[in-house]
Amino acid sequence: MLHKDFDLGLSAARELEVPMPLATTAQLIAAAIGAGHLEEDFASLILEQARNSGITRKAQNMAVDDALSPQT
């Protein structure tokens, strides 16, 4: 759906002849889809950009508080 929304936005920008600085992001979305990130959220864009940049991600195995649990 994100890809569709970017396509609609870029199309409108072309019709109105206004700059659309998000064109690079639209390309990143297309690359993420091509890499198989079809059912994932926008965080997959970070993964795809890291892969494109030659960055190897390494898990830090850190606990992350979701801020939803009651404080003790």
Side-chain angles (χ1 to χ4, degrees):
M1 302 219 28
L2 185 61
H3 189 268
K4 174 193 64 80
D5 292 342
F6 267 86
D7 282 348
L8 290 172
L10 290 171
S11 177
R14 280 190 292 276
E15 287 179 25
L16 298 171
E17 297 180 359
V18 296
M20 188 62 145
L22 297 174
T24 302
T25 304
Q27 292 172 341
L28 181 58
I29 292 168
I33 290 169
H37 300 289
L38 298 172
E39 299 296 324
E40 299 169 26
D41 64 15
F42 66 90
S44 64
L45 301 179
I46 296 168
L47 301 176
E48 189 61 22
Q49 184 60 40
R51 187 182 70 77
N52 290 339
S53 300
I55 296 171
T56 303
R57 298 177 317 108
K58 180 179 167 188
Q60 296 179 352
N61 297 319
M62 296 176 61
V64 177
D65 181 9
D66 63 8
L68 299 175
S69 302
Q71 299 266 332
T72 56

